[in-house]
Every structure is written in C-alpha cells, then in structure tokens.
C-alpha cells in the first residue's frame, strides 16, 4: 500500500485552509482543489510498502513530546499552491528523525529535504498568480498518523492506519 506519515489538523486550522481554498477558487479559472478531509501535513512520504509493523514501531520510538504548529504564509510550486508553517524546530527534528529511522530500517522514504507545506490546490490555471493572506492559526500537535493513500472511484482517499498520541 501507498503510505505516508502526517499530522492531521484541528477544525480551526481546516476552517482557515478552507477559506484560502475558497478564495483561490474564486480568483482562478480552474484547479484541482484539496478536499477538506484530505488536508494534512506530510512529515515523511514512504510510498509503496507493506512493513506496517516496523513503521508503527518507528513512529512510537521517534515521537515524544508534543509541540505547536502555526500556519504562516503561502506560495506555489508552479501550478501547485501551498500554505506554509512557522519555523518550529521540534517539527523539523521529528520529521528528520522519522526519515532517518525509516531509511536505516530499509523502508523507502522520500529523500528530498523536509520542506513543510500544506498542498491546497494542484494544476491551477489562472490569468495571474494569486496572492493569499493566511491567518496565523495555531494548534497543538497531539498525534502523529500513519496514512494510506488510495484512489477510490477516481477519488484520492487518505485513511489513517495508525495514530500515535504524543
Ligand atoms: P504534496 O502535497 O506536495 O504532493 C501524499 O501524497 C502526501 O505525501 C502529500 O502531502 C505529498 O506532498 C507528500 N509527498 C512527499 N513526497 C512525495 C512523493 N515523492 N510522491 C508523492 N507524494 C509525496
């Protein structure tokens, strides 16, 4: 199955992201906008793997105390629009630790440096780039989730396979 490790959001964060998505929809011609239930922050992208037991153990070992995350700024990689986060050292430490442990255990993990972003839309077509004004909403990170990604009836669907409370 296709797997990744992520942080799921509070209702308050989802509400602000949804506000940004609505604004993007209004200001662009078309795009593939992230469905609210799919909004998340990826810490480590694994891809195809069946090693659920090992991955759960790694998550248990890598995660200790909780911390806060705060939305901050936005940008785009070509036609992909994202919302950013305030720099929080504990977020980077956790993501890097997870990636290192996955790699050491021979589990495939995306090797690009961790660049925290929340994808809110892909394949956006617009007359000119859209500037978004993101409210700095915070939430405590209380859980790290192992997610599986499936395409069900053509719809990208994410399901939590395991959750580790911090
Ligand atoms: P993205 O939104 O920038 O595409 C599930 O695919 C999640 O894993 C998404 O948040 C995606 O980020 C992220 N991801 C990181 N590396 C990936 C990769 N190599 N292929 C697909 N998704 C990746």
């Amino acid at each position: 199955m296709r797997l990744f490790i992520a942080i799921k959001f509070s209702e308050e964060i989802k509400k602000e992201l949804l506000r940004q998505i609505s604004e993007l929809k209004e200001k662009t011609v078309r795009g593939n906008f992230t469905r609210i239930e799919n909004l998340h922050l990826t810490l480590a992208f694994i891809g195809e793997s069946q090693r659920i037991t090992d991955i759960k153990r790694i998550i248990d070992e890598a995660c200790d105390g909780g911390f806060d995350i705060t939305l901050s700024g936005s940008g785009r990689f070509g036609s992909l629009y994202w919302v950013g986060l305030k720099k929080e050292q504990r977020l980077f430490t956790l993501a890097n630790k997870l990636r290192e442990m996955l790699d050491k255990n021979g589990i495939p993990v995306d090797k690009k440096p961790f660049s925290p972003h929340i994808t809110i839309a892909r394949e956006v077509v617009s007359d000119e780039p859209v500037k978004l004004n993101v409210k700095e909403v915070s939430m405590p990170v209380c859980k790290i989730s192992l997610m599986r990604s499936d395409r069900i009836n053509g719809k990208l669907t994410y399901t939590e396979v395991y959750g580790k409370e911090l």
Side-chain angles (χ1 to χ4, degrees), residues 2 4 40 42 45 77 80 110 112 117 119 122 149 158:
R2 192 176 159 89
F4 60 98
H40 66 273
T42 298
F45 179 77
F77 304 138
L80 182 153
D110 184 56
K112 286 196 292 291
H117 67 275
T119 299
R122 299 167 199 274
S149 164
Y158 300 142

Side-chain angles (χ1 to χ4, degrees), residues 70-129:
T70 305
L71 299 181
S72 179
S74 64
R76 58 188 186 100
F77 304 138
S79 63
L80 182 153
Y81 277 73
W82 50 265
V83 168
L85 292 164
K86 267 200 181 153
K87 191 157 166 57
E88 161 57 71
Q89 191 49 50
R90 282 170 295 181
L91 175 66
F92 280 78
T93 304
L94 174 59
N96 291 332
K97 197 162 161 191
L98 284 166
R99 288 153 176 249
E100 210 180 287
M101 289 174 76
L102 290 164
D103 190 43
K104 268 198 190 138
N105 282 272
I107 296 165
V109 60
D110 184 56
K111 299 282 192 331
K112 286 196 292 291
F114 177 54
S115 159
H117 67 275
I118 304 153
T119 299
I120 57 168
R122 299 167 199 274
E123 296 154 29
V124 175
V125 177
S126 61
D127 297 329
E128 54 189 72

